[in-house]
Amino acid sequence: MIQNIRGTKDLFFEEILKWHFVEEQFRKVSNLFGYNELRTPIFEKTEVFQRSIGETTDIVNKEMYTFLDKGGESITLRPEMTAALVRCVVQHNLYNLFQNLRLWYFGPFFRYERPQKGRSRQFHQYGAECIGSPYPESDAEIIFLAISIINSLNINNFSLEINSIGNLNSREKYKLELINYFKDNINYLSEESKNRLNINPLRILDSKDENDRKIIENCPNILDYLDDESKEHFDILINILDRSNIKYSLQPKLVRGLDYYSHTVFEFRSNRLGSQDAFGGGGRYNNLIEELGGKPTPAVGFALGVERLILIMDNSNHFVDLKNKIDFYIVYSKYEYFDKISLISNKLRKYGYSVIFDIQRKSFKSQLKEADKLNSKFVIIIGEEEYLNNQLSLKNLSNGVQKTIPIDSIEAINLYL
Ligand code: AMP
């Protein structure tokens, strides 16, 4: 038996209904904020991600699904959306169309990580990007949108952690301090962090190593190194969040794993998840568009992991009584009635009802059983008597009430339901 690839998942039956529910909220809430959906291919030229996410990040170093296609071109299955979205925006000059570009997306992403609960190799993200405004008001809009999505899924148990990693100047100053601090403690650092020290010291702050964590605890605080511009941006955002009654915690060690961020970074966490407790994150990326060949354009965005959203909802018992249901199951006593049954079904479908009928030449009794198994709300019965009188019997399966209706009045079936 051939099995699916490790770290991927087949979705079917009730599980799919959960996805329909969350996808519907993504569409609805994005629409309420005036965001437009964007879809790009699931693979891109490798350089799209290499140049933007950063050569020293785990994603680019260890996790990308990269291969040479038959034409010898290096292709990568997208590990995240922002870089691909920016590629698309620059290529089609989308930022010439509107002053502010508001975009959302949903789809599969691929990272070669060690699979565990809440972590897979193909996973899905919903995300949004607000392109064109340098002001903290757009950071706030993106956070409001993220929270509205989370709320629309009835998820209450979550925290928002926020930090500023400042502009390039502030970050360079901070990096020097950080290197000095870690050099003083180099003997206590893990091998991986030692390697990162000169390549990308900020990444050490992401380390999960226990000894590293102890050292990191007392390291310099990035908020002390923000220049006036960076400080002002962050202060205004924090003030907006306060005035909007949005709960958050300042997290000076939060830097996020990608190189393209500047100023605001944030993450959402939930205690309804296991060790992988972050279910979303985002931040501002003012230089990425220019780095990918576009006009200098500030932007901010976020992504939520859909598997983790569904896990939180599962763990909070949000999905009760999810069942695939149909409106009508038509039971008929002779397969010669098939044409008539088809005709009735097509009419009902035209009026928006879902209909299934037997195509296995099952007995009358087995058909009734199947109607029940498929959670049909109503059964339509066409026995010999109904057939000859051009009638149908309509039975409501929740209360057992049965009515006889002339087939000619099927347009008005809603009056009998
Ligand atoms: P990131 O931008 O890497 O922080 O990813 C944003 C969100 O996507 C995370 O908070 C997770 O919810 C989700 N995510 C990232 N990688 C994976 C993965 N390998 N499996 C499942 N979800 C993931």
Side-chain angles (χ1 to χ4, degrees), residues 111 113 118-120 123 125 256 258 267 278-280 303 305 308:
R111 293 183 195 172
E113 294 193 82
R119 193 161 73 194
S120 46
F123 60 98
Q125 287 184 339
R256 302 215 4 99
L258 304 97
E267 229 156 39
F279 64 92
R308 294 194 195 167

Side-chain angles (χ1 to χ4, degrees), residues 30 106 109 185 234 237 263 278 300 316 319 347 352 372 379 383 394:
S30 309
F106 162 74
F109 294 88
N185 294 283
F234 195 49
L237 174 62
H263 292 285
V300 54
S316 317
F319 296 114
K347 278 201 172 153
D372 205 42
V379 169
L394 176 71

